[in-house]
Amino acid sequence: MPKALVLGYVGVLLFMIGDGVESGFIAPYMADHGAATDVRAGYVITVYGIAVMLASWFSGALCQVWGPRRVMWIGLVIWAVFDAAYLLFALGTENYPLMLVFYGIRGFGYPLFAFGFLVWITNTAPKARLGTAVGWFYFAFTGGLPTLGSLWSSLTIPWFGRLGTLWSALGLILLGGAIALVGARRRPGGDRMAPPEVTTGQSLLNSVSIIWTHPRVLVGCLVRVINTAPEFGMLVYLPRIFSDDIGFGEDKWLQLLAIIYGTNIFFNLIFGVLSDRIGWRTTIAGFGALGCAISVTTLYFVPVWLGPDYFWVAVLAGMFYGATLAGFVPISALIPSMAPENKGGSMALLNLGAGGAAFVGPALASLFFPLVGAGGVTLVFLALYLVAFVLTLLLKLPEERGGEPVAPAASRTDAAATPS
């Protein structure tokens, strides 16, 4: 971890805890307070996902011309202002159109803040320790959203209620933002990185051109979408099913959510190391895609079949899913290495895939849930992971396609950098 940015890591952790506070209950809460149905609440989350997808893509290009520090400030302000508006004027008055507007715009906030800091890290950390530095970033990122965020909710809801818990999230966001930005205000790497003649439009265009110069990177982007799309999609319908239909209650559901992603953090490290030994593509295809195809169906169907007396089985199924999600870890090492002369564009497209998952997952859940129910949606996610398995087989390094080999040092620098 770069010592100059330690407070930045702490700030990102607190920020993402605040962002993850709502992940385990916001869909049913909106359905009961203005959205009217779970499907309409899913539409709100889908709009939010579109904003996250766009901001994830833009974050890297904007950091080049505006600087990570400014991009992070913009993300913090967007999140704070529109979250307050959402709580006061949308949820507070149970106004569904305002939910779509304010919650959607708020979605631009966390990618600009978090991925802005990620660019700052890559611009500051020594090359020999860049993989570790970025790994610590995702430890903070995933540790907050949704792991510790869900745990925070399970502790605060009995005391302050759901609305009070949502207000506490805003406090965590402001605290984390202050620690990160004030603590790193004089640190190098936070200013403009592109030459003076490069415009914002040119920077955005460079992040797009890789689509036609390296089409296999686009395939990797699709795999990255599939990686976490079911994760976001299940948050649309699983909270009510696990809390009410199965009968675990909201407190156990939130604890289960924290366990799932706590397991994911641990296995991010395991699969990062393992992938260097058995191959990045092998790890993604075998442990990630095929593993998630099995675990996503286990996570839903086994608890539904067994009922409320077998919470410990649901915990095991959740840990299984959290572990296999980490099988996609090496994709951040594989994709940039497929286009070594344009790693910046590769990472921009990979961020687009990460943000796209927040849109695609809820969109699929909202679309198919009224047609085939929760079980049917889970089978759709099973099919997606099988598609990811096939697509992963197409992700080959230049030397495997008869091109120039990638320098080992450059390849291993990014190993295990981006947990799912």
Side-chain angles (χ1 to χ4, degrees), residues 104-121:
I105 296 177
R106 199 199 76 180
F108 286 97
Y110 97 72
L112 293 177
F113 182 89
F115 293 138
F117 185 66
L118 177 59
V119 174
W120 197 336
I121 292 170

Side-chain angles (χ1 to χ4, degrees), residues 380-394:
V380 170
F381 291 153
L382 161 65
L384 276 181
Y385 280 125
L386 294 178
V387 170
F389 172 77
V390 176
L391 293 178
T392 301
L393 301 181
L394 303 175

Side-chain angles (χ1 to χ4, degrees), residues 95-174:
N95 188 311
Y96 182 68
L98 290 183
M99 286 184 188
L100 290 166
V101 174
F102 293 143
Y103 195 76
I105 296 177
R106 199 199 76 180
F108 286 97
Y110 97 72
L112 293 177
F113 182 89
F115 293 138
F117 185 66
L118 177 59
V119 174
W120 197 336
I121 292 170
T122 59
N123 195 37
T124 303
K127 190 172 183 179
R129 299 200 303 272
L130 181 58
T132 302
V134 175
W136 274 110
F137 166 81
Y138 277 100
F139 181 87
F141 185 96
T142 312
L145 173 67
T147 312
L148 294 179
S150 299
L151 185 60
W152 177 275
S153 298
S154 69
L155 298 174
T156 57
I157 286 177
W159 291 92
F160 307 116
R162 293 173 183 81
L163 187 60
T165 295
L166 292 174
W167 278 109
S168 74
L170 179 57
L172 289 169
I173 289 289
L174 294 174

